[in-house]
Amino acid sequence: MPAPKKQPRPVCARCLRPMPHCLCAHVPRIFNRTRVLILQHPDEAKHPLNTARLAAMGLQNAELLIGECFPQLDGAIASVESAFLLFPAKSEDVSQLPSMTRPEEPSLLIVPDGTWRKARKIIQANPMLDTLPRLSLPPGEPSEYRIRKAREPAAVSTIEAIVRSLSLLEPERDFQPLLNPFRVLVEQQVRAMGEEVYRRNYQGRICIDPERAKT
């Protein structure tokens, strides 16, 4: 007789993590004046380490859209006084943005979520994005994403990029609690793989993945 099929583990409908590892209890609810719009490539939506979803869950003024082509972008951009694309190619330092905007004016920060190749694909599929000013993060602390390989030591996850951007745009607010579920997620993954596997594959060396940008 064939072996019975293994039943899939129950998954949280909100954070999409397996129920024993649900992160919802760790997600804060933080007000942000700058609206955040995350454009997530469909491949990233299925990834178990989906930090963009955690960012959207924790911010009061944020939205996560999944796809490659987003016809609603024109309306979203037209509804604000200023819109910016968080993408490093030919970009301004995000720390300069407060001098370029006024707090009383609604602004929009658009964040592509995916590998560099997939993020560029999203930009190419949505020509409106190519008309926006581009922003990049200034040098900062190393990423806490110690279970993900990256080309550059300065690379950060999507949720870290959003926290760093909002902290510069709205310095009067504390966005660090947004990282709480992300840190729990990292610890869960380290425990799942085991300390020995983690040390052998991730600890004490720079890991290389030429494709991965943010997740």
Side-chain angles (χ1 to χ4, degrees):
M1 291 181 61
K5 290 185 178 180
K6 189 176 181 180
Q7 294 297 317
R9 292 185 297 176
V11 172
C12 174
R14 186 168 176 244
C15 71
L16 302 185
R17 293 285 292 164
M19 287 303 298
H21 305 292
C22 175
L23 297 170
C24 292
H26 304 281
V27 177
R29 197 66 176 155
I30 302 175
F31 173 77
N32 52 305
R33 183 180 66 249
T34 305
R35 182 186 172 200
V36 175
L37 179 58
I38 305 169
L39 306 179
Q40 186 176 68
H41 191 277
D43 289 350
E44 298 300 318
K46 298 175 287 187
H47 202 283
L49 308 181
N50 189 340
T51 76
R53 174 173 288 275
L54 297 177
M57 288 170 58
L59 293 171
Q60 291 186 25
N61 194 11
E63 185 177 6
L64 174 68
L65 300 178
I66 301 171
E68 289 189 21
C69 186
F70 301 94
Q72 61 271 62
L73 267 178
D74 290 3
I77 293 171
S79 69
V80 295
E81 292 295 326
S82 53
F84 303 87
L85 179 67
L86 188 61
F87 196 76
K90 298 179 181 177
S91 58
E92 298 289 336
D93 191 318
V94 71
S95 62
Q96 301 303 313
L97 186 55
S99 64
M100 301 161 58
T101 61
R102 291 185 294 180
E104 66 274 14
E105 294 180 346
S107 57
L108 175 66
L109 181 66
I110 300 177
V111 184
D113 179 56
T115 65
W116 294 124
R117 179 175 59 84
K118 291 170 185 173
R120 290 190 188 99
K121 205 170 182 181
I122 289 174
I123 294 170
Q124 291 166 0
N126 301 274
M128 174 64 78
L129 294 176
D130 228 1
T131 69
L132 300 179
R134 295 188 180 188
L135 302 174
S136 63
L137 291 170
E141 293 296 319
S143 173
E144 295 183 47
Y145 211 177
R146 51 198 175 97
I147 53 170
R148 174 56 61 83
K149 299 177 181 181
R151 172 186 288 182
E152 300 292 341
V156 296
S157 64
T158 295
I159 195 170
E160 289 174 302
I162 290 171
V163 167
R164 294 185 188 193
S165 298
L166 290 177
S167 296
L168 290 167
L169 298 174
E170 303 177 31
E172 71 279 8
R173 293 186 177 88
D174 180 14
F175 292 99
Q176 288 301 309
L178 192 61
L179 294 175
N180 290 346
F182 165 68
R183 289 167 176 151
V184 174
L185 171 64
V186 171
E187 290 301 326
Q188 287 177 350
Q189 294 302 117
V190 171
R191 287 197 299 269
M193 72 176 70
E195 284 293 333
E196 183 180 345
V197 173
Y198 168 69
R199 286 197 300 268
R200 184 170 65 247
N201 291 282
Y202 295 95
Q203 202 171 40
R205 66 186 180 94
I206 297 174
C207 302
I208 305 299
D209 180 350
E211 283 293 306
R212 180 64 49 184
K214 303 187 290 293
T215 299

